[in-house]
Amino acid sequence: MNQTYVSIDWGGTHLSGVILTPDKSTKEFELPSCNLKLLTDENLSQICKNVIKEINPKDNSNITLLIGAAGVSNDKTADRVINSFRNLTKSIGNIEIYPDFLCNHAAFLKGEDGILSINGTGSILFGVKGKKQIRLGGWGYLFDETPSGGFFGKKYIESVLMGLEGSQKHLYYSEDFAKKYGSIGREELLNKIYSAPSIQNYLGSYSIDLIRAFEKKEPTAKEIINNSIEKLSQSISSMISYLELESPKICGSGGLWDNWKFFKNLLNVSCEKLGVQLIWKDKNISLNFGPLFCYSRTNKEASEILKEFSKEANYEQ
């Protein structure tokens, strides 16, 4: 190993990185972030500055930067990130950008056939069988209705607004909001939403409130979340059929999986109602190693490094 590798899982609200140096030392770091599609040039530059500060490159550094990011939809998006780094430092050599679902699938399933369900600030379903791949969703909180922080928060705030406008069915939400966050008028709340630097992230911060309402068996929350989970289970069933997966392995990534202990069971029950029996897999290596995994498919040194640094995870490529 003759250079430093930096591998980053860039999510919708935060990024997690690992720095692997030639002397085999490691450093992990976490920083606030945002979906690339939602970032202004100024905010993107600030995130890149924060990453560079963590790397602390020297003039003679030999660095390969690998990023798996939410919101990477084409080369133009990736080039925007690369150019932002290039404008800030000359000390980083190679920069590779991958869609986050490819990296997360690699980290969980290490190249095996199966399905990845990302349910964090946003949602996306990604499945692989051999050379066949399919992606469902990932359209953002305005369109996706499968479980995500952005969608759940949007439905909570929508219910708050309806309560403020006098809907008795949604009175729970306006009262719940006032109790937790203080009394607020309709226009003030709307101004807060539309002036937020990232509306998706802002709405996502209220997802926990819809979940709490669901756990209290509040009827509107039950309907919203049950319908959302049903949409996800139907998408999983369609993906299994399309890929012809006989023993469908599946794993979940994102904030809902990490922070809502009932989510997995609710989805499992919904899938079983459709006659779908899932085989659940835990992630094989940390998500911030996912971009390194993708790079290792075409780089021998990276492949050897990945094996060395992930022995504790029983990794075998």
Side-chain angles (χ1 to χ4, degrees), residues 136-175:
L136 298 176
W139 302 338
Y141 71 100
L142 288 177
F143 301 103
D144 287 321
E145 295 185 354
T146 48
S148 72
F151 177 66
F152 283 1
K154 174 186 173 183
K155 299 305 289 185
Y156 175 80
I157 293 297
E158 180 182 292
S159 297
V160 170
L161 289 166
M162 294 176 76
L164 289 173
E165 293 187 347
S167 169
Q168 291 299 307
K169 179 181 176 182
H170 299 89
L171 193 59
Y172 165 91
Y173 294 92
S174 54
E175 291 178 348

Side-chain angles (χ1 to χ4, degrees), residues 110-154:
K110 56 180 181 180
E112 295 180 7
D113 295 341
I115 295 171
L116 170 70
S117 183
I118 299 178
N119 304 93
T121 310
S123 63
I124 186 171
L125 200 62
F126 179 65
V128 174
K129 183 180 180 183
K131 295 184 178 180
K132 187 185 291 186
Q133 299 181 351
I134 182 173
R135 169 185 167 178
L136 298 176
W139 302 338
Y141 71 100
L142 288 177
F143 301 103
D144 287 321
E145 295 185 354
T146 48
S148 72
F151 177 66
F152 283 1
K154 174 186 173 183

Side-chain angles (χ1 to χ4, degrees), residues 76 120 191 214 218 261 278:
K76 183 178 179 180
N191 287 338
F214 175 86
E218 197 285 319
K261 63 181 180 179
L278 301 171

